[in-house]
Amino acid sequence: MKTIRDVDVSGKTVILRCDFNVTIIDGKIASDERILGSIPTIEYLINNNAKVIIMSHLGKVKTKDDAEKNSLFIVYERLCELLDGKVIFSSATRGPILEEKIKSLDYGDVLLMENTRFEDLNDKKESNCDEELSKYWASLGDIFINDAFAMTHRKHASNYGISKYLPSAIGFLILKEIEGLDIILHPERPFNIFMGGAKVEDKLDIISKLLPKCDCLLLGGGIANSFIGTIYNVGKSLHNDEKKEELLQLLSTYKEKIILPVDLKVLNNGDTYIRDIDKLDDNDNALDLGPKTLSIYKDIIKASKTIFLNGTAGKYEEHGFEDGTKEILTAISSSNAKRVIGGGDAIASSEYFNIHDFDFVSTGGGATLSYIAEGQMKCMEE
Ligand code: ADP
Ligand code: MG
């Protein structure tokens, strides 16, 4: 893949795909790691005399309501603080207003376009990599730089689509990710993975590809609940029960590698209980790992030479369910292994608990998992 240094951006209009899909809590950006991560590429383009059009998605946009909640304007305000020169915002994702604003740019100026997924209100054009939209966006610039690492596992109009119609290269953030993730692409063993979180559908598919590459896969969150749910009642807990057969197959093929919780912390009618995994009732909502599980997981983490964490052990944002996420992060950061974490919420939780000692922090969630599992990225036309 070409890198930003391999193309001549001077005097060009450059479309830069960033990943500004930040977590917003109480109207504030919870972690600006992803914005900060894009600054080297943006500054390089400014300093090399390009006009910069930045595109990014933010959240999912299925309704007009979603659009209101997921405006990139909040990111624009942060960008203005971080960059010296002129930064303008276009609330239009296509049409004359956007085009006029682009025409008004001087070399070294930056335009941030509103959430690319506003085009999903129009027949899911962005997420379905619509041909017309891809061509239209590509027509706004001369060169395409992709620096949205967290989207490298998806073929959308604003990454793969544009790359089909313009000379394209990766930015410094993706380059840094490729270098940093080498720790887990070529791991020292034992190589153990902790995987938790909520995006059950997205992650289940990847698990089968990760299992051959790691020694132990420790599970938490909705992923663990989904596996447990193939055998026991998980009540109201977050889980996926559409892939039971596949999960049971994995449990039998990788008996030794898949490590499931033995106890869970549940919420039931406003009260909290610790339950063994075979004792949950219909009203239980498992929101964290239990103490016996944490002790087993910590021992495995301690014995690792390479460890990777994605997602969170529990619903750490909810009072009373912070322990699992905090203790797993602490165990990893204080281990002697090479330590890599990745994922929007994995990073947000590490910041929330002020745990920062890792060898590499990958900004991708699904993208990181997919890259480790497949050893390549799908986001650009080769
Ligand atoms: P990442 O962004 O690191 O890839 P995810 O988005 O998949 O991680 O998951 C993080 C989210 O999962 C957090 O918001 C957390 O509250 C939620 N979560 C974790 N465990 C549970 C659980 N048992 N029940 C409900 N939500 C959970
Ligand atoms: Mg997340």
Side-chain angles (χ1 to χ4, degrees):
M1 249 188 279
K2 273 194 181 161
T3 81
I4 188 168
R5 290 195 200 281
D6 302 323
V7 288
D8 183 9
V9 297
S10 168
K12 304 275 169 53
T13 301
V14 175
I15 299 175
L16 171 63
R17 178 59 161 96
C18 288
D19 174 30
F20 290 153
N21 186 30
V22 293
T23 305
I24 296 171
I25 300 176
D26 295 334
K28 290 202 182 100
I29 297 171
S31 160
D32 60 3
E33 195 89 16
R34 289 182 173 188
I35 305 174
L36 295 175
S38 302
I39 298 297
T41 299
I42 301 172
E43 282 184 341
Y44 176 90
L45 293 172
I46 293 172
N47 294 337
N48 281 277
N49 227 27
K51 299 181 183 181
V52 189
I53 303 170
I54 303 181
M55 297 187 185
S56 172
H57 73 289
L58 175 60
K60 290 200 170 110
V61 181
K62 291 182 180 150
T63 62
K64 286 230 161 82
D65 245 19
D66 294 340
E68 244 160 67
K69 277 185 236 145
N70 289 310
S71 170
L72 274 177
F73 194 79
I74 189 168
V75 172
Y76 165 70
E77 292 176 312
R78 185 76 186 107
L79 266 188
C80 290
E81 291 166 5
L82 292 167
L83 297 171
D84 283 337
K86 185 169 144 199
V87 187
I88 61 174
F89 184 73
S90 168
S91 51
T93 50
R94 65 159 85 212
I97 295 178
L98 170 65
E99 290 157 27
E100 279 310 311
K101 288 198 171 182
I102 292 170
K103 267 194 209 136
S104 80
L105 294 176
D106 280 324
Y107 293 103
D109 290 349
V110 174
L111 175 140
L112 175 64
M113 189 183 84
E114 182 57 283
N115 189 349
T116 53
R117 286 195 183 158
F118 280 25
E119 290 292 332
D120 278 351
L121 292 175
N122 183 4
D123 247 0
K124 293 202 85 182
K125 286 197 167 177
E126 155 73 329
S127 296
N128 287 339
C129 200
D130 177 79
E131 214 49 51
E132 178 271 329
L133 180 62
S134 304
K135 258 191 220 175
Y136 171 70
W137 276 342
S139 77
L140 302 173
D142 308 309
I143 290 178
F144 177 58
I145 302 291
N146 189 358
D147 218 14
F149 175 70
M151 288 297 292
T152 51
H153 58 318
R154 305 224 192 270
K155 289 187 171 182
H156 287 183
S158 65
N159 57 9
Y160 184 77
I162 297 176
S163 83
K164 291 202 291 187
Y165 297 106
L166 284 181
S168 303
I170 56 169
F172 294 117
L173 187 92
I174 293 188
L175 197 59
K176 194 170 126 200
E177 293 278 353
I178 291 174
E179 286 164 5
L181 289 173
D182 193 61
I183 295 173
I184 37 183
L185 245 57
H186 304 100
E188 229 189 295
R189 290 182 179 273
F191 169 37
N192 299 324
I193 298 177
F194 174 90
M195 195 189 286
K199 283 184 229 140
V200 179
E201 279 73 20
D202 292 356
K203 292 181 186 181
L204 289 181
D205 288 338
I206 281 188
I207 288 177
S208 58
K209 293 183 186 148
L210 284 178
L211 278 161
K213 311 208 169 189
C214 68
D215 294 294
C216 285
L217 179 65
L218 309 170
L219 296 174
I223 316 278
N225 296 343
S226 304
F227 275 93
I228 295 168
T230 61
I231 311 167
Y232 302 114
N233 181 15
V234 288
K236 293 180 173 164
S237 313
L238 172 72
H239 72 290
N240 174 309
D241 56 13
E242 279 160 23
K243 301 207 175 175
K244 270 194 175 164
E245 290 311 312
E246 268 175 79
L247 296 185
L248 281 168
Q249 185 61 48
L250 285 176
L251 281 174
S252 98
T253 312
Y254 296 101
K255 258 196 285 299
E256 315 284 313
K257 287 193 178 185
I258 298 175
I259 314 292
L260 286 178
V262 293
D263 57 352
L264 295 165
K265 196 173 194 182
V266 305
L267 190 65
N268 185 323
N269 289 319
D271 290 317
T272 303
Y273 305 91
I274 304 288
R275 298 223 205 276
D276 286 344
I277 54 165
D278 56 346
K279 300 277 181 339
L280 269 66
D281 72 38
D282 291 347
N283 285 320
D284 280 340
N285 183 5
L287 294 175
D288 200 4
L289 301 174
K292 282 190 272 185
T293 304
L294 285 172
S295 157
I296 296 167
Y297 283 18
K298 282 189 222 169
D299 284 344
I300 297 174
I301 290 168
K302 220 174 187 175
S304 313
K305 286 258 168 62
T306 307
I307 179 113
F308 172 64
L309 169 136
N310 167 260
T312 63
K315 196 170 183 189
Y316 72 98
E317 308 95 322
E318 194 149 326
H319 182 63
F321 299 93
E322 303 97 338
D323 290 0
T325 302
K326 188 177 178 187
E327 289 188 30
I328 295 286
L329 282 167
T330 305
I332 292 176
S333 82
S334 55
S335 89
N336 294 322
K338 289 265 186 244
R339 305 144 303 168
V340 180
I341 69 168
D345 288 281
I347 296 173
S349 64
S350 78
E351 296 199 340
Y352 183 80
F353 295 118
N354 215 2
I355 301 168
H356 294 289
D357 204 5
F358 304 104
D359 294 284
F360 186 66
V361 176
S362 172
T363 54
T368 307
L369 294 172
S370 164
Y371 180 57
I372 303 166
E374 321 230 351
Q376 61 179 24
M377 298 175 182
K378 300 176 189 159
C379 57
M380 311 257 278
E381 184 89 309
E382 285 294 323

